[in-house]
């Protein structure tokens, strides 16, 4: 039996599921509104219901994003020399020959991804609240509308990149967000600094 | 709008100079569209109701402009949706079919399809959209139902002085110009308005908006952000496919997990 190590707690996995699920549905319904896609509207029995669903999914997304802060925020704010070097070799994604520096629990790409999700996630949430509750204030509406859509463009690019990297580009990674485990052998290779820190090297 | 529809585009021509402020148009509109009355207070002006409302699709806007030669000058301006060719409300509306263009070029609405988001009122240069008790958008639709049955809009039908006229937009404009009105407000603005005004004075005097435009952020969103979201998503999918085929996923031996 391969010895496994836990990388994500159940808490993290469940929260990620809510975050990812709500985010993807929000983007789907968002595209429905943006491009008047009747096929998406009819899934919800019309645009009126889709609007209600979109609003409440936003609440789910907001709560899970808030909750995720205690999982990832501190770690995602810490960078060292190896992280800098990681960018120089593009994380090893553009060539399999380069030597990727030793990483901690998360690589700087993931950390920056988290910060982007936090920044644009909260921007899209707050502007969403503006569009929902300040309908009679033209300035708030126009400002919220543009912030909501700029954030949408960023997220609609960043999230699929994350999805690709978390699945096809890194075989075996997906299970970290399913059962939370990864082989200890792999973790020693990929996250030596993390494994050292928890004394399993 | 394409050229062939522009040809038969209908319009209301308002000639404020001929308006006597009788407000028969307000009453006719209420009656045809079965709009509930609004309780208003006397606030020291002839204007009543004070503003457009979900149950007041047109109003006579009243302004007093006393001058030395004319110490008592009252101006009456019939206001309603402008039925813009380039309509901000239609551009921003997220619900297909909630706002739609009639064959005559008017901007009409469908209560059932409106989701009550009220974005239209923030994108309208003329502050027209209002909302009913149900939160759904509610405004002049150029009596689309009457026009479809070969009748004129009810406000025009009732106007006793000819201050409101309805017909082919091009014909209305050239007739007004022949009558000596220097300014046809809305002839070119926003691709041409469907409610146009014939003035001899400066339109500003009557409280008309100079150079009406759709808010810059709405135009920016429509021209750049919308396409960018699709291009962005498509780009990621394409880039991921190319990366997967050309460089490939991390391999077992030299694997460095990155997500
Ligand atoms: C179906 C789509 C998704 C899949 C398959 C997926 C997969 C994964 C996986 C495998 C991890 C663990 C990475 C590791 O521990 O090294 C992860 C982490 C994470 N995911 Fe997702 N994810 C998806 C959607 C999303 C969405 C929509 C969001 C947020 C908007 C999101 C936010 C995060 C965050 C913040 C982390 C923490 C670590 C990091 O920054 O990468 N995920 N995801
Ligand atoms: S005046 Fe306002 S509501 Fe009427 S068509 Fe123009 S943008 Fe739309
Ligand atoms: S309130 Fe109704 S008509 Fe106005 S933008 Fe929203 S869905 Fe469209």
């Amino acid at each position: 039996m391969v010895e496994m190590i836990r990388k994500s707690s159940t808490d993290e996995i469940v929260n990620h599921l809510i975050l990812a699920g709500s985010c993807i549905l929000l983007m789907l319904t968002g595209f429905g509104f943006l491009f008047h896609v009747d096929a998406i509207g009819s899934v919800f029995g019309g645009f009126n219901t889709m609007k209600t669903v979109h609003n409440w999914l936003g609440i789910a997304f907001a709560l899970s994003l808030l909750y995720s802060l205690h999982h990832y925020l501190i770690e995602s704010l810490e960078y060292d020399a190896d992280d800098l070097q990681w960018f120089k070799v593009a994380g090893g994604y553009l060539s399999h020959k380069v030597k990727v520096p030793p990483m901690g629990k998360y690589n700087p790409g993931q950390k920056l991804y988290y910060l982007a999700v936090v920044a644009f996630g909260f921007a899209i949430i707050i502007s969403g609240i503006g569009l929902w509750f300040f309908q009679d204030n033209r300035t708030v509406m126009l400002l919220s509308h543009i912030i909501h859509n700029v954030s949408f463009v960023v997220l609609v690019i960043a999230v699929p990149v994350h999805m690709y990297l978390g699945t096809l580009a890194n075989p075996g990674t997906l299970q970290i967000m399913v059962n939370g485990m990864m082989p200890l052998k792999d973790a020693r290779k990929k996250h030596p600094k993390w494994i050292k820190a928890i004394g399993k090297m | 709008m394409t050229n062939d529809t522009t040809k038969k585009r209908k319009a209301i021509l308002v000639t404020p100079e001929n308006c006597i402020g009788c407000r028969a148009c307000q009453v006719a509109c209420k009656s045809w569209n079965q709009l509930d009355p609004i309780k208003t207070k006397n606030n020291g002006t002839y204007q009543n109701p004070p503003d457009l409302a979900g149950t007041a699709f047109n109003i006579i806007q009243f302004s007093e402009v006393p001058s030395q030669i004319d110490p008592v000058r009252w101006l009456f301006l019939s206001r309603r949706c402008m039925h813009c060719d380039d309509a901000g409300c239609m551009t921003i509306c997220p619900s297909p079919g909630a706002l739609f263009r009639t064959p005559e070029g008017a901007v009409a609405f469908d209560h059932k399809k409106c989701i009550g988001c009220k974005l239209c009122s923030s994108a309208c240069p003329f502050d027209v959209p209002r909302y009913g008790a149900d939160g759904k958008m509610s405004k002049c639709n150029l009596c689309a139902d009457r026009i479809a049955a070969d009748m004129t809009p009810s406000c025009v039908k009732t106007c006793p002085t000819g201050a409101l006229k309805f017909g082919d937009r091009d014909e209305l404009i050239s007739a007004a110009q022949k009558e000596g009105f220097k300014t046809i407000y809305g002839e070119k603005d926003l691709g041409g308005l469907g409610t146009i005004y014939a003035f001899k004075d400066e339109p500003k005097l009557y409280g008309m908006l100079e150079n009406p435009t759709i808010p810059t952020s709405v135009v920016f969103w429509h021209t750049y952000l919308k396409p960018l979201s699709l291009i962005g998503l498509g780009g990621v999918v394409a880039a991921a496919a190319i990366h997967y085929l050309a460089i490939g996923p991390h391999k077992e031996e030299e694997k460095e997990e990155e997500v």
Side-chain angles (χ1 to χ4, degrees):
Chain A
M1 257 253 319
V2 195
E3 199 185 343
M4 303 293 276
I5 182 154
R6 179 165 286 281
K7 192 174 181 211
S8 294
S9 63
T10 312
D11 194 41
E12 285 168 350
I13 296 169
V14 172
N15 194 59
H16 179 264
L17 192 71
I18 300 172
L19 189 70
S22 60
C23 182
I24 289 165
L25 284 172
L26 280 162
M27 292 195 294
L28 188 80
T29 48
F31 266 119
F33 290 125
L34 208 48
F35 295 99
H36 288 186
V37 190
D38 278 312
I40 298 178
S42 54
V43 172
F44 299 88
F47 277 69
N48 269 294
T49 320
M50 185 161 97
K51 173 72 184 136
T52 312
V53 171
H54 187 84
N55 287 357
W56 288 97
L57 280 170
I59 299 292
F61 178 73
L63 293 177
S64 59
L65 187 59
L66 266 177
Y67 192 69
S68 78
L69 288 173
H70 89 281
H71 291 147
Y72 313 115
L73 186 63
I74 292 176
E75 171 126 26
S76 70
L77 290 169
E78 289 166 352
Y79 297 84
D80 61 16
D82 287 332
D83 285 342
L84 200 72
Q85 180 60 24
W86 185 91
F87 281 110
K88 292 201 180 127
V89 298
Y93 282 112
L94 299 182
S95 153
H96 292 312
K97 292 189 193 84
V98 297
K99 191 173 158 16
V100 180
M103 290 286 106
K105 194 170 181 186
Y106 296 102
N107 70 44
Q110 291 175 291
K111 293 190 273 193
L112 283 183
Y113 168 70
Y114 183 64
L115 292 183
V117 168
V118 167
F120 292 98
F122 281 118
I124 211 165
I125 289 163
I126 291 166
S127 55
I129 290 171
L131 293 169
W132 193 355
F133 296 108
F134 293 86
Q135 291 184 330
D136 297 328
N137 186 321
R138 191 181 159 105
T139 315
V140 172
M141 285 295 271
L142 284 176
L143 199 66
S144 299
H145 179 253
I146 201 75
I147 293 174
H148 210 67
N149 280 276
V150 169
S151 314
F152 178 68
V153 170
V154 174
L155 290 172
V156 97
I157 290 170
V159 169
V161 170
H162 166 78
M163 285 162 64
Y164 171 62
L165 295 177
T167 54
L168 288 178
N170 294 284
T173 310
L174 183 60
Q175 72 165 327
I176 300 172
M177 272 307 162
V178 177
N179 61 17
M181 311 300 278
M182 73 183 292
L184 182 59
K185 185 168 65 72
D186 291 352
R188 283 186 179 133
K189 260 202 222 160
K190 296 185 199 170
H191 310 287
K193 290 199 277 187
W194 169 48
I195 300 299
K196 252 180 225 145
I198 58 171
K200 295 251 167 105
M201 203 66 191
Chain B
M1 255 182 9
T2 49
N3 275 330
D4 55 320
T5 42
T6 318
K7 262 184 227 144
K8 49 178 175 170
R9 188 176 176 194
K10 302 282 190 208
I12 288 184
L13 174 75
V14 185
T15 313
E17 204 180 84
N18 294 344
C19 177
I20 54 172
C22 69
R23 296 188 301 209
C25 48
Q26 290 185 186
V27 177
C29 178
K30 284 235 174 207
S31 147
W32 178 261
N33 293 298
Q34 305 191 348
L35 302 172
D36 290 336
I38 311 169
K39 241 201 179 116
T40 58
K41 281 202 221 90
N42 184 339
N43 53 4
T45 160
Y46 182 83
Q47 191 168 319
N48 186 36
D51 201 357
L52 293 173
T55 55
F57 294 170
N58 68 359
I59 56 160
I60 296 296
Q61 184 173 297
F62 170 67
S63 29
E64 265 179 283
V65 282
S67 66
Q68 212 120 64
I69 8 162
D70 206 351
V72 186
R73 188 160 180 219
W74 289 6
L75 303 181
F76 303 110
L77 183 92
S78 172
R79 261 192 84 197
R80 65 180 56 56
C81 173
M82 296 297 209
H83 300 285
C84 315
D85 182 51
D86 182 8
C89 59
M90 291 188 77
T91 304
I92 206 166
C93 179
S95 186
L99 294 169
F100 61 95
R101 185 77 62 182
T102 68
E104 296 79 21
V107 177
F109 61 90
D110 180 344
H111 267 287
K112 282 201 283 304
K113 292 193 174 146
C114 170
I115 60 175
C117 68
K118 301 197 182 175
L119 276 168
C120 44
S121 75
S122 57
C124 169
F126 299 101
D127 183 28
V128 165
R130 295 293 188 275
Y131 304 88
D134 56 358
K136 306 284 177 103
M137 117 88 97
S138 186
K139 70 163 185 73
C140 161
N141 62 4
L142 206 69
C143 284
D145 46 353
R146 290 177 59 94
I147 298 182
D150 258 340
M151 297 188 282
T152 57
S154 62
C155 56
V156 175
K157 177 84 185 165
T158 202
C159 179
T161 66
L164 298 179
K165 289 198 189 89
F166 176 78
D168 287 335
R169 190 170 178 276
D170 296 344
E171 283 168 28
L172 288 172
I173 290 173
S174 46
Q177 279 163 341
K178 263 184 224 126
E179 280 175 51
F181 290 95
K182 314 198 280 281
T183 313
I184 307 296
Y185 185 95
E187 188 185 354
K188 300 262 156 61
D189 301 284
L190 298 158
L193 303 180
T195 303
I196 45 180
Y197 292 78
F199 288 113
K200 284 180 182 150
D201 298 288
E202 280 299 308
K204 194 167 60 176
L205 188 71
Y206 282 79
M208 299 298 291
L209 196 65
E210 284 179 286
N211 305 316
T213 48
I214 297 172
T216 322
S217 70
V218 177
V219 176
F220 172 79
W221 161 77
H222 183 69
T223 26
Y224 298 107
L225 284 180
K226 265 168 77 170
L228 197 60
S229 66
L230 265 191
I231 296 166
L233 180 62
V236 171
V237 173
I242 291 168
H243 179 267
Y244 193 76
L245 297 173
I247 299 174
H250 273 230
K251 297 195 193 78
E252 281 303 316
E253 324 83 65
E254 51 187 2
K255 197 162 60 175
E256 298 282 341
E257 178 220 335
E258 339 281 353
V259 180

